[in-house]
Amino acid sequence: MTQKRLHIAIQKSGRLAEKSLDLIRDAGFRLVKSASDLAYSVENAPIDLWCVRDDDIPTFVADGVADLGMVGRNVLAERAAGPNSAPLVELMPLGFGRCRLSIAAPLNFAYAGAKSLSGLRIATTYPNLLEKFLAEQGVDAKIVTMRGAVEVAPRLKLAEVICDLVSTGATLEANGLAPLQTVLESEAVLVRAPRVASEEIERAIQSVTARFRGVIASQGAKYVMMNAPRSALPEISRILPGADAPTVTPLAGRDDVVAVHAVCQESVFWETLEALKGAGASAILVLPIEKMM
Ligand code: PRT
Ligand code: ZN
């Protein structure tokens, strides 16, 4: 019997495409591109990737064509907020593609909470999420659904206000707009359908998810080593950013000084090293972590 292959749908090209491939490669999967550019197969595991439009990823997963999908939470949430959509399960955030779905308006717009939107036209490519937001806020406004280039709507007098994705804010600024309120915080997420798959596929999902978690946990995490006076340990534990209890080992021939090792989940800045030195630490080393599980 041939082994069933796990299918993962990823964006073909766009903001999430490269980062999705990077995560899969970093999880140890060797990718071979198909001749058509529409798929990859994994050389060292029974996994195939389908490369599709991001908007199609939820449908691929809901219909069982793919077992997993990597897609922006905004795309999923827009679908979930619409009529007749089978819900999908968000397994984990993937740590890239971060953005916000925000209400934005021309700089001179006087905003005093969502009620200020009453009676206005709001242009968006996310009509379902916007409708849900307005209903929650008890605001009656007109939704103008666009396919893209939402930021030009106020200038074209199509709408007074927009609701669009923002990451750096440069697009809003270039169009004389400012964000007023966040409707949704988004990033790329791993999704699956709620139904239980075959035992083989369920096992593959568990294993792939554990590897992705490991890759994401090790991103930004650092291994910090130093020597420190035993008496400074409480102070040093306090300074180490996002570390659990450090490992403390004796140094040969020294009773007063120990070696301290810790995994820091947050960035270790020069300021942190200076603070550690100030607390009496010496020979401080900060090392990258390749894998963590
Ligand atoms: O072809 P396909 O349909 O697959 O791609 P697409 O054009 O629909 O999507 P794409 O590649 O633009 O975005 C894919 C996903 O990236 C989105 O669904 C979000 O989850 C995520 N993402 C993260 C963003 C942004 N940041 C983002 N800034 N998607 C779009 N934008 C746009 C935004 O709409 C606005 O036009 O970028 C502009 C604002 O950017 P800043 O940096 O100027 O604020
Ligand atoms: Zn799209």
Side-chain angles (χ1 to χ4, degrees):
M1 202 178 85
T2 55
Q3 198 176 359
K4 273 216 180 116
R5 295 178 75 81
L6 180 81
H7 295 120
I8 309 179
I10 62 168
Q11 191 187 26
K12 180 171 185 289
S13 63
R15 286 165 195 266
L16 307 181
E18 266 316 304
K19 295 262 172 60
S20 301
L21 290 172
D22 286 348
L23 175 59
I24 294 165
R25 285 195 194 100
D26 290 347
F29 299 118
R30 286 198 300 275
L31 300 178
V32 185
K33 204 172 195 167
S34 74
S36 66
D37 260 22
L38 296 174
Y40 287 84
S41 61
V42 173
E43 217 175 41
N44 54 343
I47 301 176
D48 293 315
L49 310 183
W50 301 144
C51 306
V52 299
R53 291 278 310 266
D54 69 343
D55 317 75
D56 293 334
I57 292 174
T59 313
F60 266 67
V61 176
D63 291 353
V65 178
D67 306 293
L68 295 173
M70 292 184 176
V71 66
R73 184 182 292 130
N74 48 297
V75 172
L76 277 186
E78 174 64 12
R79 180 177 179 276
N84 326 315
S85 70
L88 294 178
V89 181
E90 181 180 320
L91 291 175
M92 59 188 286
L94 296 175
F96 58 86
R98 288 208 179 86
C99 56
R100 303 178 301 286
L101 182 66
S102 294
I103 307 274
L107 296 174
N108 58 7
F109 187 86
Y111 188 68
K115 290 275 184 279
S116 309
L117 304 171
S118 283
L120 299 182
R121 294 168 303 166
I122 312 177
T124 190
T125 51
Y126 292 86
N128 297 333
L129 279 174
L130 179 56
E131 189 178 336
K132 184 166 159 243
F133 170 79
L134 293 172
E136 279 163 10
Q137 302 288 327
V139 172
D140 193 15
K142 183 172 183 331
I143 298 172
V144 179
T145 304
M146 294 179 69
R147 297 294 297 270
V150 169
E151 64 279 0
V152 301
R155 231 182 314 140
L156 299 181
K157 309 271 182 259
L158 281 170
E160 289 75 31
V161 180
I162 69 167
C163 173
D164 197 14
L165 296 178
V166 182
S167 51
T168 61
T171 303
L172 290 185
E173 202 181 323
N175 287 280
L177 304 170
L180 302 175
Q181 171 139 17
T182 301
V183 173
L184 180 84
E185 294 278 354
S186 185
E187 68 182 286
V189 296
L190 186 70
V191 283
R192 63 166 292 170
R195 66 176 165 277
V196 179
S198 69
E199 209 175 301
E200 233 172 340
I201 293 295
E202 285 299 332
R203 227 177 305 122
I205 291 176
Q206 294 288 330
S207 141
V208 163
T209 313
R211 285 203 195 186
F212 288 165
R213 280 191 209 288
V215 173
I216 292 163
S218 67
Q219 282 166 355
K222 294 279 183 273
Y223 195 75
V224 182
M225 312 198 287
M226 74 199 83
N227 293 341
R230 200 179 276 282
S231 59
L233 282 177
E235 170 79 354
I236 282 175
S237 300
R238 200 181 51 71
I239 296 168
L240 285 170
D244 288 332
T247 308
V248 176
T249 17
L251 290 178
R254 297 288 301 264
D255 280 343
D256 53 335
V257 179
V258 287
V260 181
H261 291 195
V263 173
C264 291
Q265 304 287 356
E266 296 160 26
S267 310
V268 181
F269 297 107
W270 285 107
E271 288 78 2
T272 311
L273 302 194
E274 283 159 9
L276 289 169
K277 276 213 141 204
S282 59
I284 309 173
L285 291 180
V286 180
L287 309 173
I289 296 173
E290 192 182 290
K291 292 189 178 67
M292 208 150 86
M293 211 164 209

